[in-house]
Amino acid sequence: MPRLSVIVPCFKVQGFLRECLDSVLEQSFHDIEVIAVDDRSPDGSGAILDEYAARDPRLRVLHLPENVGLGRARNAALPYATGDFLLFLDSDDTLTPGALRAVTDRLAETGDPDVLVFDYARTYWWGGTRRNALAEVLSATDGVFTAAERPEILDLLMVVWNKAYRRDFVEENGFRFPPGYYEDTPWTFPVMLSAGRIATLDRICVNYRQRRQGSILSTTSRKHFDVHEQYKRVFAFVDAHPELAGWRPRLHRRMGEHCLDILAKPDRLPPAARAEFFRRTAELYRAFRPKGADPGDLRDLDVLAGSYASYLLREQAGRAGRAGGRQALRVRRAAGARARRALTGLRGRRPLDEELVLYSAASHQGLRGDPAAVYRAAREIAPRLRGVWVVRDAEVAAELPAGVDHVLLDSPEYLRLTARAKFFVNDVNWPGTLVKRPGSVHVHTHRGTPLKYLGADLLGKPGARLGLDVPQMLRRADRWDHSLAANRHSELVWERAYPCHFASARTGSPRNDVLVAGGPTDFRARHGIPPDHTVVLYAPTRRDYVRGGHVDRIDLARFAADLGEGHTLVVRLHPALATGPARGLGLAELHRRGIVVDATGEPHAEEVMLASDALVTDYSSIMFDYANLDRPIVVHADDWPTFTASRGAYLDITAEAPGHVSRSYRELAWLFASGGWRDEESARLRADFRCRFCEFDDGRAAERVVRTLLLGEAMPEPPGRVPGPAGARDLLAST
């Protein structure tokens, strides 16, 4: 008897079916059976199913004699399912890699609950991906619960395919799908309300395809009236189970919201049927309204108490309000522009504040990176300088340490300060609306030593510059007075990539001072990492050859296991991936289970580096910073040709690496199993790399910036390390 039965109903999906089946049958977890139902599909779906079944005995195909619809096609498969748990997958959707392994691990961890709810992401036909907006509901608990204990679980999308169901639980309760559209509704609500043990998995397991055309629910049809009958079935179930009567108010609200959402969609109902749909919804809403319901709780649904004409007037008013909001935004922007012009006019008459320094980092996300190091040094060396941080919103401001002066971006105070400040320190360009006043000094720190193409060099890489206005970027860079460099390679790249009128400052990277001198970090203690563990930091960069930038190059659970006892794997994704779906594809769940430590959200990369004993990266600039620690580095370059073709690189890091290079996972695992990651050859490679790319990092970079660029004092340049190895070269001349 298999652990999982995956039921896949199929109808007119020949263009998507192979991808769906591959996503199931190629999973790393193999103890499954797949029951595919050909719902009398008029295209080639049935033949595709037979082809796959001939190759894989785990797949069984049911060919129905007539088309019965999605719900009853699922019902047809249920008698043939023998797995401990049931999963339903629509045939135009796909499972994410490793999804079934994560599901079965979580089922075992929670003692085989009645229902396991997991996460999903919408994948759009144009290539975009968006994670479920209520994903935090899935991470709120480690144990099992009931819907009564955590009613917010019903706020999730009420579909069948984001859950695993214990088969015995389904059979004992006789759950089946009704005919018609919205068949998930009278399945999911009764299942969730009946379950005695519910568990969650905070991992994206399904890619929910958003088709441009052809999906059932985006079809204009009177079949959308089926939603009314489906909710009648839900309330009939509640009526048959008096102990569930307390759920009627919540179900009543969900019904009203759901029906109004259908009505608001322009592609669902034929225009001639919209008034009738409203009338039937209103009748249903009144019929199932709970006795003694608080009118305040239903205020946003009271339109159903009126006429269709009233509903149309409200919708028109809503559209007008939204249009008015957009107009108000344009007015505010115009007023802001006038205010900035007015302040610009004052600049010639009001002197600069010679002791005012404005700081920003990582697009106004608070004290981070090089600007933070300069800020701390300035407070110690020149306390008379007033340092003010520009932050993007009140949430970031609340996270600032006590006593840090700050201002919100684009606020009146921000406009006043930018009109008077003498110094501007940033690692990302300031907004284009900031006009540089003569006499002001802009110090650009950058964000590490460059490996991949930047600035003007992206003009020849259309995929990498997608959505990036390079000429506008260069106009903003025209405001730079000083560009910090940690080595001669960076100095050369900045002058090439940003052909602007700035002076290169051989200061070193201020944020690396703590790496050179050594500093405290409580990272291990905060994450419960034993003091005697060898910590391996894995820090991959983003890819430009895939939309969204995230590619799983390594099976993290396997790598953590292969490292063995006495090791902890710490993962830090590229900052651009921190708020997208990347962490939901397994990293967050592995962190929760203690298999890896997710350090993606750590604001200070230096603390993570200090806590580690070795670095595994691909093409991230973190390797140049990490080399200052003189600790082993392994470069995992399994897609180097693809990466360089899509993004471009200033040097061949596989030929001039800071340590050993692996070109497959097998090679990577062998390096750690054999001890090669820290052998004499790795030390020699690292020493050569440090001489070249840590040239100006001597632990005094922040002090050097403050004294020479802010105070105008004389201070010798960093001594520099010995020249790089013979034969070392940049690819600049050849690109």
Side-chain angles (χ1 to χ4, degrees), residues 515-530:
L515 302 181
V516 176
T521 175
D522 64 348
F523 178 83
R524 288 193 181 217
R526 284 190 286 110
H527 291 280
I529 301 174

Side-chain angles (χ1 to χ4, degrees), residues 407-420:
V407 63
L408 297 184
L409 181 68
D410 287 335
S411 66
E413 181 66 4
Y414 164 82
L415 297 176
R416 187 184 71 80
L417 292 179
T418 54
R420 298 291 313 281

Side-chain angles (χ1 to χ4, degrees), residues 381-435:
I381 298 169
R384 70 178 184 276
L385 294 178
R386 180 194 174 197
V388 179
W389 280 85
V390 177
V391 296
R392 65 185 182 188
D393 53 37
E395 183 178 350
V396 174
E399 297 174 353
L400 295 174
V404 174
D405 198 359
H406 65 276
V407 63
L408 297 184
L409 181 68
D410 287 335
S411 66
E413 181 66 4
Y414 164 82
L415 297 176
R416 187 184 71 80
L417 292 179
T418 54
R420 298 291 313 281
K422 171 72 173 182
F423 301 102
F424 295 78
V425 180
N426 199 350
D427 62 0
V428 179
N429 266 319
W430 293 95
T433 53
L434 192 156
V435 179

